[in-house]
């Protein structure tokens, strides 16, 4: 079974190498491209000021973050959630750069750095599928009809949840992902599948009323139980 973790972060600014820090991490678990309902979400005290530009994007203030744990206090939970999952990130170099910079600050207790080649980056995926078009998260949501009405500001968990939907569309849509589910799926995943409507669409006949009447008369002339009666519903035309 394929386990993936769709991840997003928010930061104090755009330059990890110049001292900007992580302030929020959100992640969503997928099994065979289907959300299981398991998520990870933590805020971090960056121990430095949030830039004005970053605040305008996510709305996380210095005052809000002042009583949150530092990254070193939540990294164990993060690693336990990531475990053996394959990361899925939009514009992976940005988020991976910040995560690796935070790891490096931990010294001897640091997890191994994340390798970009091990990450599924949905930005180049989108560029290959939609060359020449805008491929930021908002543009992709508009293209695929994904509801973003809750997204008044950027937020790591909400953006990870939205990205999970975008990722499935980039792979070919929900039918593709459902087809990959195997018998080992857990009850949460099975519940997702069971929630998908499976009833066929209503049959739309092209027959006119006169044609239907002639057809019904012909069927009646064949006897009370023609062989195809075993295979079609009483309300469907043959």
């Amino acid at each position: 079974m394929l386990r993936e973790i769709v991840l997003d972060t928010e930061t104090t600014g755009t330059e990890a190498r110049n001292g900007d820090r992580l302030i929020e991490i959100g992640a969503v678990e997928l099994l065979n491209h289907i959300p299981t309902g398991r998520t990870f979400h933590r805020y971090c005290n960056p121990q430095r000021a949030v830039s004005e530009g970053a605040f305008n994007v996510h709305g996380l203030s210095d005052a809000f973050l002042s009583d949150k744990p530092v990254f070193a206090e939540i990294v164990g939970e993060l690693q336990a959630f990531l475990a053996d999952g394959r990361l899925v990130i939009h514009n992976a170099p940005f988020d991976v750069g910040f995560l690796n910079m935070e790891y490096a600050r931990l010294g001897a207790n640091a997890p191994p750095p994340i390798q970009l080649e091990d990450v599924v980056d949905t930005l180049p995926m989108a560029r290959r599928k939609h060359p020449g078009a805008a491929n930021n998260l908002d543009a992709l949501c508009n293209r695929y009809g994904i509801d973003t009405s809750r997204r008044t500001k950027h937020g790591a968990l909400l953006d990870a949840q939205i990205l999970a939907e975008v990722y499935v569309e980039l792979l070919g849509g929900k039918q593709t992902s459902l087809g990959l589910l195997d018998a080992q799926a857990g009850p949460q995943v099975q519940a997702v599948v069971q929630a998908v409507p499976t009833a066929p669409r209503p049959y739309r006949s092209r027959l006119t009323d006169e044609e239907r009447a002639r057809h019904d008369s012909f069927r009646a002339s064949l006897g009370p139980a023609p062989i195809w009666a075993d295979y079609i519903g009483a309300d469907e035309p043959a």
Side-chain angles (χ1 to χ4, degrees):
M1 177 174 294
L2 176 62
R3 182 174 183 266
E4 295 173 301
I5 305 297
V6 184
L7 182 141
D8 188 69
T9 66
E10 299 298 338
T11 64
T12 63
T14 60
E15 299 294 335
R17 294 182 181 275
N18 292 337
D20 279 317
R21 304 288 302 272
L22 280 178
I23 58 176
E24 185 184 11
I25 304 171
V28 174
E29 181 186 62
L30 306 181
L31 292 181
N32 290 349
H33 310 311
I34 299 175
T36 65
R38 291 190 65 220
T39 63
F40 177 90
H41 184 220
R42 296 290 184 276
Y43 294 106
C44 299
N45 182 345
Q47 299 180 303
R48 64 161 293 163
V50 175
S51 70
E52 181 179 356
F55 175 77
N56 290 337
V57 170
H58 51 60
L60 301 176
S61 67
D62 296 335
F64 174 79
L65 297 167
S66 63
D67 63 348
K68 303 301 183 287
V70 297
F71 182 80
E73 295 178 81
I74 63 96
V75 67
E77 295 177 75
L78 175 62
Q79 288 300 299
F81 186 82
L82 299 182
D84 58 350
R86 181 174 71 176
L87 287 174
V88 178
I89 302 174
H90 197 70
N91 190 19
F94 180 86
D95 301 87
V96 169
F98 271 93
L99 283 165
N100 282 344
M101 193 63 66
E102 293 291 349
Y103 288 170
R105 290 173 180 269
L106 301 176
N109 296 321
I114 299 167
Q115 304 300 317
L116 277 173
E117 58 265 29
D118 297 330
V119 178
V120 177
D121 191 340
T122 53
L123 181 55
M125 283 180 67
R127 286 172 174 166
R128 288 192 296 270
K129 191 165 186 177
H130 307 291
N135 285 300
N136 58 50
L137 197 55
D138 285 330
L140 290 168
C141 287
N142 288 337
R143 185 172 296 130
Y144 292 126
I146 295 170
D147 181 18
T148 59
S149 59
R150 301 168 293 161
R151 193 174 183 245
T152 56
K153 291 280 189 181
H154 284 247
L157 180 57
L158 178 56
D159 282 3
Q161 291 168 329
I162 290 173
L163 179 57
E165 295 185 59
V166 168
Y167 177 50
V168 169
E169 294 294 340
L170 289 171
L171 290 171
K174 293 180 176 59
Q175 293 303 316
T176 297
S177 66
L178 291 178
L180 294 174
L181 187 67
D182 62 32
Q184 301 302 314
Q188 286 179 306
V189 180
Q190 296 290 354
V192 173
V193 177
Q194 291 167 5
V196 177
T198 56
R201 288 179 294 178
Y203 179 85
R204 297 180 62 184
S205 174
R206 298 180 183 179
L207 297 178
T208 66
D209 290 343
E210 181 181 355
E211 289 169 333
R212 183 183 293 277
R214 291 204 304 268
H215 183 68
D216 289 344
S217 177
F218 171 74
R219 288 177 61 190
S221 71
L222 298 177
I227 190 170
W228 59 76
D230 294 333
Y231 301 97
I232 62 174
D235 58 345
E236 289 187 30

